[in-house]
Amino acid sequence: MEKVVLTAAGLYVIVLLRAGGTFTVGWLAGAGVRRGRLAERMSSATFVRAERAIQRWGAPVVAVSFLTVGFQTAANFLAGSMRMPLPRYLPALFVGGACWALVYATVGVGALEVLARLFAERTALGVAVVAALLAAVCGVVVYGRRNAGSAARGGAADEA
């Protein structure tokens, strides 16, 4: 139990610094970022989705974003660039960061302990499990890119 508490505390500090730093960079960049070299990056689907959600729902979107992958950075950056007031942002940061730290400290550490035990007791099975996980992740990435590519080609065909 002590290991989980220490891990969660360490992860909490990390997420506060990382997400708070991302918010600060967004705040400092402000509206000028939409006119600069980052403008194209910020027009990506993730950023557009995050901006619309923040405009509609505000701070709760920032808090919930900590339970997602990829959306979290966009939400914190955009909250900063949209100049979300600190009295609204900080509670979302503290609550969302705490949830993120607890999930990773319990589920993440637990999964690593299971894998470590598996490698120690049955190395071949451990290697097979890691290889299967990597193959699954690669399959999901390739599938997603193919679908995105075919959707883009379909949209271009519609315009022609």
Side-chain angles (χ1 to χ4, degrees):
M1 181 67 174
E2 182 179 325
K3 183 175 17 175
V4 171
V5 171
L6 289 174
T7 303
L11 288 172
Y12 189 57
V13 169
I14 289 169
V15 78
L16 291 179
L17 292 173
R18 187 177 71 80
T22 304
F23 175 85
T24 303
V25 168
W27 184 277
L28 294 173
V33 78
R34 287 168 171 61
R35 291 179 297 233
R37 292 189 300 179
L38 287 175
E40 182 179 313
R41 174 82 174 156
M42 289 189 62
S43 63
S44 74
T46 301
F47 274 90
V48 170
R49 237 181 27 245
E51 187 171 31
R52 285 185 185 147
I54 290 170
Q55 287 171 344
R56 182 169 183 192
W57 301 102
V61 170
V62 175
V64 172
S65 76
F66 285 92
L67 302 178
T68 67
V69 176
F71 189 76
Q72 174 186 352
T73 301
N76 282 283
F77 182 83
L78 287 169
S81 72
M82 294 168 66
R83 306 284 177 146
M84 180 182 283
L86 286 178
R88 292 184 64 209
Y89 176 73
L90 290 176
L93 172 65
F94 295 143
V95 170
C99 292
W100 180 87
L102 288 174
V103 166
Y104 276 84
T106 54
V107 176
V109 170
L112 288 176
E113 286 177 351
V114 167
L115 278 175
R117 195 172 318 128
L118 186 61
F119 270 99
E121 295 172 4
R122 298 184 178 186
T123 305
L125 182 58
V127 170
V129 167
V130 169
L133 288 172
L134 287 174
V137 168
C138 289
V140 167
V141 169
V142 168
Y143 179 76
R145 288 189 179 188
R146 282 189 181 165
N147 281 348
S150 65
R153 284 190 299 273
D158 292 341
E159 291 175 5

